[in-house]
Amino acid sequence: MEGTDRAVMTDTWLKKHRLIYLGATRHPFILGIRDGSVDLSSFKRWLGQDYIFVRAFVPFVASVLLKAWKESDDNADIDVILGGVAALNDEIAWFKTEASKWGVALESVVPQQINLNYCRFLESLTSPDVDYTQAITAFWAVETVYQESFAHCLEEGSKTPEELKQTCHRWGNDGFGQYCHTLKSIADRRLEKASKEVVAKAELNLLSILEHEVEFWNMSHGAV
Ligand SMILES: Cc1ncc(CNC=O)c(N)n1
């Protein structure tokens, strides 16, 4: 059949950049959740910083929505991205409840430099000079790192403490997995038709995102 053995761009990239991808999705912080050895002060630090990140992620996703509306060849993309926006609305409410459960005062969390750097990078992708293909590919990458990381904490044989399971479910559940898979299909569909220049930029963005994600997990250790 035509096209059955054509390489899918995102799969090619994840194979090529496997070590850094594993660095982002199998980070010691995640492995610590999975084996129950995680330091709860690290978890609380991550929670406060991630709340700040997610608030900054909303305008990035809104920019992806705007680009889809202007540039996409498939109306269904809007529905998928809008679903992502709706999920972020729930997520922000969840962070507030979760933070009060752990005694984390979200209003007084000071964003760390690593967090600000990551937010600034995503903000740079909201520029009109960045096309829809690059934006949707970046969106897929950010979501997928969390999906793969937290799903790992729920796999058979994991010893995730009961009080952390809800957090893992938030991103590790099958519905979120399906959603990431849909984002991946959109990204691959666009990459297939994109110019070499756009494909090259999208790959560099992926590498930047993976590096920012590793740094973000590192931040939980409080050594920065
Ligand atoms: C640092 C980081 N990366 C990805 C996600 C997942 N996307 C939205 O929630 C997240 N919450 N935080």
Side-chain angles (χ1 to χ4, degrees):
M1 226 201 305
E2 196 205 338
T4 42
D5 57 0
R6 186 169 6 190
V8 170
M9 197 55 78
T10 55
D11 291 335
T12 306
W13 287 344
L14 294 186
K15 256 180 236 157
K16 182 172 162 193
H17 306 300
R18 185 166 168 75
L19 279 183
I20 173 90
Y21 185 65
L22 287 177
T25 57
R26 298 292 183 264
H27 189 275
F29 177 70
I30 284 297
L31 299 179
I33 291 178
R34 192 182 199 267
D35 70 15
S37 70
V38 67
D39 172 15
L40 290 181
S41 71
S42 294
F43 179 78
K44 290 196 230 177
R45 197 173 299 119
W46 164 80
L47 190 75
Q49 292 297 319
D50 210 43
Y51 173 72
I52 293 171
F53 174 85
V54 167
R55 292 196 71 94
F57 193 50
V58 173
F60 166 73
V61 179
S63 81
V64 181
L65 188 74
L66 184 64
K67 289 182 204 317
W69 175 64
K70 290 185 176 170
E71 297 175 50
S72 182
D73 47 321
D74 188 342
N75 276 332
D77 292 7
I78 298 278
D79 303 62
V80 178
I81 302 161
L82 187 56
V85 174
L88 285 172
N89 185 45
D90 287 351
E91 206 171 297
I92 284 173
W94 174 83
F95 268 103
K96 290 175 184 168
T97 317
E98 195 68 14
S100 78
K101 228 160 58 184
W102 290 95
V104 174
L106 291 177
E107 327 73 54
S108 42
V109 174
V110 178
Q112 300 271 312
Q113 193 57 49
I114 283 173
N115 197 352
L116 294 171
N117 293 346
Y118 195 5
C119 292
R120 198 163 304 142
F121 173 73
L122 288 182
E123 191 180 350
S124 75
L125 298 180
T126 66
S127 158
D129 302 335
V130 173
D131 78 340
Y132 174 53
T133 303
Q134 284 183 68
I136 193 79
T137 305
F139 185 31
W140 156 75
V142 176
E143 296 288 55
T144 298
V145 168
Y146 262 44
Q147 204 281 325
E148 287 260 345
S149 299
F150 284 112
H152 188 54
C153 302
L154 298 171
E155 281 168 3
E156 190 96 350
S158 58
K159 298 185 189 71
T160 300
E162 209 50 54
E163 66 270 30
L164 301 183
K165 277 192 179 156
Q166 243 210 48
T167 300
C168 300
H169 269 285
R170 175 115 233 128
W171 293 279
N173 75 78
D174 293 340
F176 197 78
Q178 186 52 54
Y179 158 71
C180 289
H181 191 81
T182 307
L183 291 177
K184 182 180 187 295
S185 308
I186 299 173
D188 282 317
R189 186 192 83 224
R190 297 289 309 191
L191 288 163
E192 208 175 315
K193 294 183 206 144
S195 69
K196 261 196 209 133
E197 290 71 26
V198 165
V199 171
K201 281 183 196 165
E203 183 176 9
L204 286 177
N205 291 338
L206 168 64
L207 283 174
S208 296
I209 287 165
L210 295 176
E211 280 160 15
H212 282 298
E213 289 287 346
V214 171
E215 288 288 303
F216 203 94
W217 294 131
N218 285 345
M219 197 168 47
S220 67
H221 294 143
V224 280

